[in-house]
């Protein structure tokens, strides 16, 4: 699923294409995609509205209008493009926004996982507040990160991908930031020392900034309006199972935590002996 860098790239590249456009019609052939309100309310809320800005919050694209907003979560296979409205419709296009100037924003989604919605200002603020802080926000300081970590008892990998804890981080960048910080994915947050907290904070922010600069990781179906990113060519552990660690040369390992594949180096990211409980041992044995 596209994460913070990919969605940020999409927002930045979509903005100059649609800002100022007036929506004359919204359409979908897949009602389950509509997250808010009901389908009829969604379709009625957008005609006549003008696009004023495009931004990202967590993994959501927020399209601000002169009144309210609509939001898009592309999830695993969603792709956005702006084309002439007369362009033949791809059978995998399941939502469109037609503009008065004859163009159309289209959401192509092979697996129909994407979600869309129309919100007034109050409902939008309430929805977006469900996510944790933005890791690249200037207000997200090391002190804030430490406070969040010390209030939780979870293992690091599940914690980093918890959107209520931190916005926008998913499987790719959790694995990569933990490798950079030399921390095991199964380590408990409460056991980190101040130096560990600082390493993880700096690794996470540097990694996300680099990934935005490289326009994200085009793995599987992700692509932005201006094409694929290149961060996938610079990943250290994600989807590199069995390949040599870029730091120590030992093979990268993988195990499944929850439903997510987790990649790490067992030498560079050692789990402290005191945390090698039965659950951790079971997971690590399954990943061999």
């Amino acid at each position: 699923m596209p994460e913070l860098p990919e969605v940020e790239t999409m927002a930045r590249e979509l903005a100059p294409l649609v800002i100022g456009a007036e929506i004359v019609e919204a359409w979908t052939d897949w009602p389950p995609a509509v997250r808010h309100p009901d389908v009829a309310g969604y379709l009625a809320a957008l005609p006549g509205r003008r696009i004023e800005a495009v931004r990202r919050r967590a993994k959501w694209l927020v399209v601000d209008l002169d009144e309210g907003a609509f939001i898009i979560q592309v999830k695993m296979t969603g792709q956005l493009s702006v084309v002439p409205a007369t362009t033949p419709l791809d059978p995998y296009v399941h939502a469109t926004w037609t503009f008065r100037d004859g163009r159309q924003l289209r959401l192509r989604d092979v697996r129909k996982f994407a979600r869309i919605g129309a919100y007034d200002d109050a409902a939008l603020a309430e929805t977006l507040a469900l996510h944790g802080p933005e890791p690249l926000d200037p207000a997200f300081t090391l002190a804030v990160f430490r406070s969040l970590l010390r209030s939780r008892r979870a293992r690091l990998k599940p914690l980093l991908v918890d959107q209520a804890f931190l916005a926008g981080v998913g499987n790719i960048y959790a694995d990569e930031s933990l490798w950079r910080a030399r921390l095991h994915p199964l380590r408990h947050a409460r056991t980190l020392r101040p130096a560990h907290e600082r390493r993880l904070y700096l690794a996470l922010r540097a990694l996300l900034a680099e990934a935005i600069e490289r326009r994200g990781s085009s793995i599987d179906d992700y692509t932005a309006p201006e094409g694929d990113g290149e961060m996938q060519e610079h990943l250290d552990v994600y989807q590199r199972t069995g390949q040599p660690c870029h730091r120590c040369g030992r093979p990268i390992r993988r195990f499944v935590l929850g439903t997510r594949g987790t990649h790490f180096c067992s030498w560079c990211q050692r789990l402290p002996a005191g945390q090698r409980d039965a659950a951790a041992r079971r997971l690590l044995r399954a990943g061999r």
Side-chain angles (χ1 to χ4, degrees):
M1 182 185 298
E3 303 177 27
L4 186 158
E6 290 75 40
V7 182
E8 182 68 27
T9 299
M10 296 173 79
R12 292 182 181 188
E13 295 181 0
L14 188 61
L17 300 176
V18 301
I19 287 177
E22 180 186 346
I23 301 169
V24 295
E25 181 184 39
W27 169 87
T28 182
D29 69 346
W30 184 242
V34 179
R35 178 176 175 138
H36 181 86
D38 57 22
V39 176
Y42 164 78
L43 296 176
L46 298 181
R49 302 271 68 87
R50 187 177 301 277
I51 296 175
E52 294 194 338
V54 182
R55 57 190 169 98
R56 178 198 56 79
R57 172 69 171 120
K59 299 178 185 179
W60 285 89
L61 278 169
V62 181
V63 183
D64 291 308
L65 307 173
D66 51 3
E67 183 177 325
F70 72 89
I71 62 178
I72 306 168
Q73 189 176 25
V74 295
K75 292 203 169 181
M76 290 180 66
T77 60
Q79 299 173 343
L80 294 169
S81 61
V82 179
V83 299
T86 55
T87 303
L89 207 62
D90 184 313
Y92 295 114
V93 171
H94 297 297
T96 64
W97 298 264
T98 303
F99 304 144
R100 187 169 297 281
D101 63 11
R103 296 178 304 143
Q104 198 171 66
L105 172 61
R106 294 182 176 181
L107 172 61
R108 184 179 190 273
D109 185 20
V110 173
R111 299 183 66 181
K112 297 182 177 178
F113 289 154
R115 294 294 178 262
I116 55 180
Y119 295 77
D120 61 25
D121 292 339
L124 180 65
E126 182 179 353
T127 297
L128 298 183
L130 297 175
H131 297 88
E134 291 286 341
L136 293 180
D137 190 317
F140 184 68
T141 62
L142 176 56
V144 170
F145 186 52
R146 279 183 169 143
S147 176
L148 290 174
L149 283 172
R150 294 174 185 182
S151 70
R152 304 292 285 270
R153 300 177 64 84
R155 300 181 190 272
L156 289 176
K157 173 65 182 287
L159 191 57
L160 289 179
V161 299
D162 179 355
Q163 296 302 291
F165 174 77
L166 199 59
V169 179
N171 215 28
I172 299 172
Y173 300 107
D175 284 359
E176 292 292 315
S177 61
L178 288 169
W179 181 85
R180 289 193 179 192
R182 297 174 179 257
L183 294 170
H184 197 286
L186 295 179
R187 184 157 183 169
H188 290 283
R190 68 179 184 273
T191 70
L192 297 184
R193 297 177 180 176
H196 300 143
E197 295 167 340
R198 179 180 176 82
R199 285 210 312 259
L200 182 55
Y201 172 80
L202 294 175
L204 184 62
R205 284 171 58 94
L207 175 70
L208 293 173
E210 177 187 347
I212 291 172
E213 188 70 23
R214 298 186 187 279
R215 302 182 57 257
S217 300
S218 285
I219 296 171
D220 299 325
D221 295 281
Y222 162 71
T223 191
E226 294 183 11
D228 290 352
E230 61 177 64
M231 187 62 187
Q232 68 277 6
E233 300 170 12
H234 303 272
L235 300 179
D236 292 296
V237 289
Y238 187 76
Q239 291 192 348
R240 296 191 64 249
T241 307
Q243 298 180 47
C245 172
H246 289 154
R247 197 158 44 210
C248 73
R250 292 171 174 82
I252 298 300
R253 293 178 57 189
R254 177 185 184 274
F255 64 92
V256 177
L257 183 58
T259 59
R260 297 179 173 92
T262 296
H263 308 78
F264 74 111
C265 173
S266 59
W267 181 262
C268 295
Q269 299 167 260
R270 301 187 201 186
L271 189 62
Q275 294 181 53
R276 295 170 191 165
D277 54 26
R281 289 194 295 270
R282 185 167 59 252
L283 284 168
L284 294 175
R285 281 198 303 269
R288 286 177 181 172

